[in-house]
Amino acid sequence: MLLQRIITASILALLVILAVFQLSSEYFSLVLALIILVAAWEWGNLAGIDSPLKRSLLLLALVLPMLGIHFWTYFLEFVAQNLDWPDVRNYSGALEWLVIAPVLFWILVMILIRNTPSGLLKLELKTRYKALIGWFVLLSAWMFLSRLRAFYDVEMALYFLILIWAADIAAYFVGKKYGQTKLAPDISPGKTVAGMYGALAVGAACAVVLSLIYGFDFMIASDFVLLSVLTVLISIYGDLFFSVAKRQRGVKDSGSILPGHGGILDRIDSLIAGAPFFYAGIFLIYRLVS
């Protein structure tokens, strides 16, 4: 099973890296959207949406705002030219403020899992609310990972992906060797406190390496270390969030599309939580140095 997981993960990582480097930001956003839509289909199952038609409506509810976000600046330009309102172009950066909501959501999720894990497991939400939560987190992940690739170049998008992957690997192997105290035993018995610390340490190490490569000064390097560690922390609890959904549904995996890994959601759960948080941090860091 471990060998199968390694082979699948290696192939996926290679494909993602090729997509980051070889595709334009528009095509990268499109490929990412397709992945998110598959994840949304799996979330529909976790949310208890058994009807294929209703799951398709969830996908449509994602596609429409994706199109709106993608063509936002084109829309503003159309309004500026046809309604003689040139100042409307100043609203092109309004979408940046949307990052606040998912950041606050994932911080709240982390607090709830840390303090009331059993309460979350017993929480009974209506299917429509579960669908709305899935819509929100998946759309946010697509939006801010796409914008990270478009506005902060290939290197920063690749760094984010490597950060999450390296943290996941560290958490697994450190937890397997040294883990005794469970991080959230009611939710995910396999995750340990030692594994979490291993992931956080690797996150800090990734930031140090990046800072040395780019020659960041001490303040910027410190910001990157803090951002990387906090992003890894949020990603761990994002993983646990989806574990809650799977336990409530009574399934081990979100799907079976990936050999040895389960579904798409099982592979990108950490990325979903980490993307908005990392984007918000990068946005602030770049504004401070510019």
Side-chain angles (χ1 to χ4, degrees):
M1 179 63 74
L2 178 59
L3 178 60
Q4 190 179 44
R5 287 174 63 89
I6 292 174
I7 292 173
T8 302
S10 299
I11 294 173
L12 289 174
L14 178 61
L15 292 175
V16 170
I17 290 171
L18 286 174
V20 171
F21 274 105
Q22 298 298 323
L23 298 180
S24 66
S25 59
E26 289 81 7
Y27 281 110
F28 176 80
S29 179
L30 175 60
V31 170
L32 182 60
L34 295 175
I35 294 172
I36 290 295
L37 291 176
V38 175
W41 186 268
E42 294 176 352
W43 177 261
N45 175 52
L46 297 182
I49 304 175
D50 297 320
S51 167
L53 175 60
K54 290 182 178 179
R55 282 203 216 175
S56 299
L57 291 176
L58 175 60
L59 268 58
L60 179 62
L62 278 167
V63 169
L64 293 178
M66 283 177 174
L67 291 173
I69 292 167
H70 183 75
F71 291 107
W72 175 246
T73 54
Y74 298 98
F75 170 73
L76 294 181
E77 187 63 28
F78 175 83
V79 172
Q81 293 184 8
N82 289 273
L83 298 183
D84 193 24
W85 185 13
D87 290 342
V88 76
R89 297 187 181 96
N90 296 330
Y91 291 95
S92 60
L95 294 180
E96 304 290 0
W97 291 95
L98 296 180
V99 78
I100 295 175
V103 166
L104 293 178
F105 173 83
W106 288 116
I107 291 175
L108 176 62
V109 165
M110 181 177 69
I111 293 171
L112 291 175
I113 290 177
R114 284 183 61 86
N115 293 292
T116 60
S118 58
L120 273 182
L121 285 171
K122 295 175 183 176
L123 184 63
E124 296 183 3
L125 293 176
K126 292 183 178 179
T127 300
R128 67 173 70 97
Y129 297 132
K130 291 182 179 179
L132 180 61
I133 290 172
W135 173 86
F136 170 69
V137 299
L138 291 171
L139 179 62
S140 300
W142 169 82
M143 177 179 178
F144 293 107
L145 187 50
S146 294
R147 293 173 78 82
L148 181 68
R149 169 64 176 79
F151 298 153
Y152 298 100
D153 298 326
V154 169
E155 290 81 4
M156 200 52 65
L158 184 61
Y159 171 75
F160 168 70
L161 295 172
I162 291 175
L163 173 68
I164 299 299
W165 293 339
D168 282 346
I169 293 170
Y172 177 81
F173 285 105
V174 172
K176 196 171 184 63
K177 185 170 180 60
Y178 301 107
Q180 294 182 349
T181 304
K182 303 298 183 183
L183 181 60
D186 294 338
I187 297 174
S188 182
K191 288 184 172 52
T192 65
V193 174
M196 180 184 71
Y197 286 140
L200 297 178
V202 167
C206 287
V208 170
V209 171
L210 180 75
S211 299
L212 291 173
I213 291 174
Y214 283 93
F216 294 149
D217 61 37
F218 179 76
M219 290 302 297
I220 299 301
S222 300
D223 290 339
F224 263 101
V225 170
L226 180 60
L227 174 60
S228 297
V229 170
L230 291 178
T231 299
V232 168
L233 183 63
I234 289 292
S235 74
I236 292 170
Y237 283 92
D239 189 330
L240 289 170
F241 167 81
F242 287 100
S243 294
V244 170
K246 285 183 281 190
R247 281 196 169 273
Q248 288 181 335
R249 184 61 168 167
V251 296
K252 182 178 181 296
D253 299 316
S254 63
S256 57
I257 193 172
L258 301 175
H261 286 274
I264 289 292
L265 268 179
D266 297 312
R267 277 292 83 210
I268 67 171
D269 45 13
S270 299
L271 294 171
I272 290 170
F277 195 91
F278 185 78
Y279 182 86
I282 291 299
F283 178 81
L284 291 175
I285 290 173
Y286 272 68
R287 291 304 176 276
L288 289 175
V289 300
S290 61

